[in-house]
Amino acid sequence: MKTELGEAQLLAQIDLDRLPQHIAMIMDGNGRWAKRRRLPRIAGHRAGIRAVRQAVEACARLGVPYLTLYAFSAENWKRPHTEIKLLMDLLREYLKKEIAELNKQNIRLGVIGRISELPKPVQRDLEIALENTRQNTGLRLTLALNYGARAEMVDAVRALAEKLRGNGSLAIDEASLSQHLYTRELPDPDLLIRTSGEMRVSNFLLWQIAYAEIWVTETLWPDFTQNDLFQAIIDYQRRERRYGGLGLG
Ligand code: IPE
Ligand code: IPE
Ligand code: MG
């Protein structure tokens, strides 16, 4: 049986000196959340914004330096046109409403993905939000939009090839490939969280999660709270990361 611990009890178990430096999240289950309530899928996406606020605030409060949220995948274009349109509208609404709050919490916004393929008004709102939070020095919040890890790797290889044409001595190794990914300014995630119980990574940060600890919860994304995030961090801190070595025995 699951015993529900309160926020103070959870926080007391977190070692602030060993926080994951980068948490990546696959925010899944909005549609199922809505379906259970006999609501349209978009109601689930709308409710998901609340969970985004909670996760962002929890990371900012604790002092986690990097949080990356999978908001729209390169494969999500397969969904009905109306759902895509509503998702884009929600994103624009979030960007407009949230800038003040992000600034208040000293959060800097970033994006990864093929941003130039997003609708022009979305690109414009993104630029404004990026520009208006650029000066912040706290949590680095990255939204993955029209993001696909395979597309990212293709883009990185293309960029490398382009440079090689100009400078034949450029090395192709793990470091140079990493430096050409969209995530070049971010450390690799330490902790990957997926909600709604799905045991897959759905083309998210494939290169970067090579040694991430994976934490999956049955909770659907709109029901995800700060306490869930605290629990994920507690479980993460109990794991032994060996990176192929022998660890501590
Ligand atoms: C995640 O929820 C949000 C996006 C992919 C944009 P889903 O919309 O995938 O919800 P389910 O998986 O259908 O429940
Ligand atoms: C992953 O969720 C993408 C996002 C959370 C944005 P999906 O719902 O698209 O993934 P699959 O289809 O279940 O693999
Ligand atoms: Mg899903």
Side-chain angles (χ1 to χ4, degrees):
M1 206 182 79
K2 201 180 156 201
T3 45
E4 291 288 337
L5 290 181
E7 179 179 299
Q9 286 165 297
L10 290 167
L11 280 172
Q13 293 180 61
I14 296 178
D15 177 352
L16 294 176
D17 293 328
R18 290 193 309 116
L19 286 174
Q21 295 299 289
H22 184 178
I23 300 180
M25 290 196 182
I26 303 177
M27 311 184 287
D28 196 19
N30 294 352
R32 277 161 282 174
W33 184 93
K35 195 169 174 211
R36 284 184 195 171
R37 288 166 176 73
R38 298 177 194 283
L39 294 168
R41 290 180 57 83
I42 191 65
H45 295 314
R46 193 169 280 284
I49 301 269
R50 228 177 10 228
V52 170
R53 288 203 183 95
Q54 293 235 357
V56 169
E57 200 188 315
C59 286
R61 266 177 80 189
L62 284 175
V64 171
Y66 298 90
L67 172 66
T68 299
L69 301 176
Y70 205 5
F72 191 85
S73 80
E75 287 74 30
N76 286 148
W77 298 108
K78 293 177 190 163
R79 297 189 178 197
H81 182 73
T82 46
E83 181 170 342
I84 295 172
K85 166 90 172 62
L86 286 165
L87 277 169
M88 293 297 154
D89 287 349
L90 259 187
L91 171 63
R92 295 189 63 196
E93 200 182 307
Y94 173 82
L95 291 171
K96 284 188 190 136
K97 270 199 197 150
E98 223 56 19
I99 293 179
E101 189 55 38
L102 294 178
N103 280 330
K104 209 161 99 192
Q105 296 183 45
N106 195 23
I107 297 168
R108 180 174 173 188
L109 191 70
V111 283
I112 53 172
R114 285 190 178 159
I115 302 306
S116 63
E117 293 172 2
L118 289 170
K120 283 283 177 298
V122 175
Q123 289 188 46
R124 226 175 13 246
D125 290 344
L126 276 171
E127 271 163 33
I128 293 169
L130 295 184
E131 189 50 43
N132 281 313
T133 60
R134 194 183 297 282
Q135 71 288 350
N136 294 335
T137 54
L139 174 68
R140 181 82 183 257
L141 169 64
T142 303
L143 300 180
L145 292 166
N146 189 23
Y147 176 88
R150 289 183 170 186
E152 176 183 37
M153 285 191 240
V154 168
D155 287 351
V157 171
R158 279 186 189 147
L160 267 176
E162 194 60 42
K163 280 197 187 157
L164 266 176
R165 259 196 290 275
N167 167 12
S169 67
L170 188 72
I172 296 191
D173 53 23
E174 292 187 13
S176 65
L177 197 98
S178 285
Q179 274 311 305
H180 289 81
L181 295 171
Y182 310 144
T183 52
R184 64 183 74 85
E185 291 175 11
L186 316 176
D188 287 344
D190 300 298
L191 174 59
L192 172 70
I193 295 176
R194 182 164 190 153
T195 55
S196 89
E198 240 50 273
M199 293 291 182
R200 54 178 174 262
V201 289
S202 302
N203 203 14
F204 190 42
L205 302 175
L206 297 183
W207 171 279
Q208 299 87 338
I209 61 168
Y211 271 101
E213 295 295 327
I214 300 178
W215 192 85
V216 177
T217 174
E218 289 294 326
T219 301
L220 304 174
W221 178 252
D223 292 329
F224 192 86
T225 63
Q226 298 210 5
N227 282 356
D228 292 313
L229 185 87
F230 297 152
Q231 188 60 59
I233 293 175
I234 292 165
D235 291 348
Y236 161 85
Q237 291 187 332
R238 287 189 184 132
R239 301 209 191 153
E240 187 193 2
R241 302 181 77 187
R242 286 194 290 272
Y243 301 99
L246 294 183
L248 304 170

